[in-house]
Amino acid sequence: EGYNHITRGHWKVVPDGSCGYELVSPVLKGQEGMNELVKVLEALNTTRARVNKKCGIHVHVGAEDATGKKVANLVKYYGVNENIIDMVVAPSRRNSRNYYCRSIFEAVNDRGTGMYTDNGQDVTENQKLDLFKQMNHIVKRDEWNEETPSRTIANISALIGRNNGRERYGKINLTSFRKYRTVEFRGFNGSTDVEKIGHWVNFVTAMVDKTFKTKQVKNKVQEDPRLAFAQVFGKGVGRKTLKFMGQRAFNFGLLENPTDMFQFATRNGTI
């Protein structure tokens, strides 16, 4: 098909200006949807399809029950744990290195400065807390004014996407809620590997479920890096995904001992 954003009842291949072509699924649900994904990837791999660092995995998670507070919790949770989540993605997708999936914290910088990248500067804890306070203010203000959830989510989207090339070019894209009632995750690198994609899908769907049920997101991670990693990829996600992500972070040289992490987290009741 030609380039379009129309949701089909079938898989489609469309041209994409950033990477060549994009394979787009219909709406997939539950284990049946995962089984279909496996079949399509197996078929794709028979064609010797290849990806490079220009490619990415974009996962839309249904969010019909979203409210401004739930989405603010999700964005804050991702932001607090972004450095940990970046441990399992390719180096080209970390921080704001990729134009099409900028950091949550790109919003704290003056437009166009690109501070949250690899030029030796970073976002301070005070800047992060200030961004979270701005989100809380949007939620409380819109509740007071009796705004719809869609309006509040659009306001949060404008806040975190204000310094992106386009508002949707962030690791979390909230503009998709307006049209599709989804939250889009754009941070994972391109792949045709069933296991990699399956665990990433499991992680982001569990993250939405977990944060939507949370009353308040903590602003800091566990001090012990083993527990911090296990809380993100294990709690509410599952042991298989935690083991896979632990090994992936180890392969990148960012986690010392995935077996020790898993055993320590199990003893401490984190998973």
Side-chain angles (χ1 to χ4, degrees):
E1 299 184 12
Y3 182 74
N4 68 79
H5 288 285
I6 301 171
T7 303
R8 304 290 193 192
H10 56 264
W11 292 77
K12 64 180 181 180
V13 176
V14 297
D16 184 279
S18 64
C19 63
Y21 290 93
E22 182 177 18
L23 176 64
V24 185
S25 77
V27 176
L28 302 176
K29 297 181 180 180
Q31 188 57 50
E32 184 178 345
M34 290 301 295
N35 293 342
E36 184 175 334
L37 175 62
V38 170
K39 288 181 181 178
V40 169
L41 288 174
E42 288 176 346
L44 183 65
N45 285 325
T46 64
T47 69
R48 298 183 180 180
R50 295 290 182 268
V51 298
N52 57 32
K53 67 179 182 180
K54 292 182 178 181
C55 303
I57 301 293
H58 297 174
V59 181
H60 286 258
V61 179
E64 287 284 351
D65 62 335
T67 64
K69 183 174 177 56
K70 289 178 179 179
V71 169
N73 276 345
L74 171 64
V75 174
K76 284 188 283 185
Y77 182 86
Y78 198 106
V80 168
N81 295 292
E82 186 172 334
N83 287 340
I84 297 173
I85 297 170
D86 274 0
M87 292 170 69
V88 304
V89 304
S92 61
R93 314 289 286 190
R94 295 174 194 159
N95 298 336
S96 283
R97 295 177 192 174
N98 190 291
Y99 176 78
Y100 299 100
C101 57
R102 297 292 185 91
S103 164
I104 299 297
F105 297 111
E106 195 68 28
V108 307
N109 299 309
D110 293 332
R111 187 174 184 86
T113 60
M115 287 173 62
Y116 197 66
T117 52
D118 296 297
N119 58 3
Q121 296 176 310
D122 202 351
V123 175
T124 67
E125 289 301 314
N126 285 338
Q127 286 176 309
K128 292 180 182 181
L129 291 175
D130 182 62
L131 184 66
F132 298 156
K133 287 178 182 178
Q134 290 181 61
M135 274 190 284
N136 289 337
H137 173 72
I138 289 172
V139 172
K140 291 178 180 178
R141 180 199 65 197
D142 287 1
E143 285 178 349
W144 176 263
N145 293 330
E146 298 182 346
E147 295 283 5
T148 64
S150 293
R151 182 68 258 163
T152 303
I153 292 168
N155 289 336
I156 295 173
S157 177
L159 172 67
I160 65 172
R162 64 190 178 190
N163 285 347
N164 296 340
R166 290 187 179 179
E167 190 176 320
R168 64 189 176 94
Y169 289 166
K171 291 178 181 176
I172 296 181
N173 168 30
L174 300 178
T175 66
S176 65
F177 186 79
R178 287 184 287 229
K179 186 174 182 180
Y180 305 110
R181 289 297 185 265
T182 66
V183 175
E184 183 189 22
F185 296 89
R186 302 169 62 92
F188 200 67
N189 43 278
S191 177
T192 62
D193 185 277
V194 172
E195 195 173 20
K196 285 182 186 178
I197 297 173
H199 284 298
W200 179 255
V201 170
N202 184 45
F203 165 61
V204 295
T205 53
M207 179 167 50
V208 170
D209 185 59
K210 181 165 58 176
T211 56
F212 275 25
K213 292 177 180 177
T214 299
K215 289 185 178 180
Q216 187 173 3
V217 173
K218 295 180 180 180
N219 289 331
K220 292 185 178 181
V221 300
Q222 284 274 359
E223 290 186 7
D224 190 297
R226 295 169 296 182
L227 291 182
F229 190 92
Q231 281 200 333
V232 172
F233 292 110
K235 193 171 185 179
V237 183
R239 290 171 177 263
K240 289 183 178 180
T241 294
L242 175 59
K243 284 185 176 181
F244 179 86
M245 294 302 194
Q247 187 61 47
R248 187 166 170 79
F250 173 76
N251 293 342
F252 281 128
L254 300 175
L255 188 68
E256 288 187 5
N257 189 327
T259 302
D260 177 57
M261 174 275 298
F262 187 83
Q263 293 175 346
F264 185 71
T266 301
R267 290 196 301 271
N268 282 271
T270 303
I271 54 173

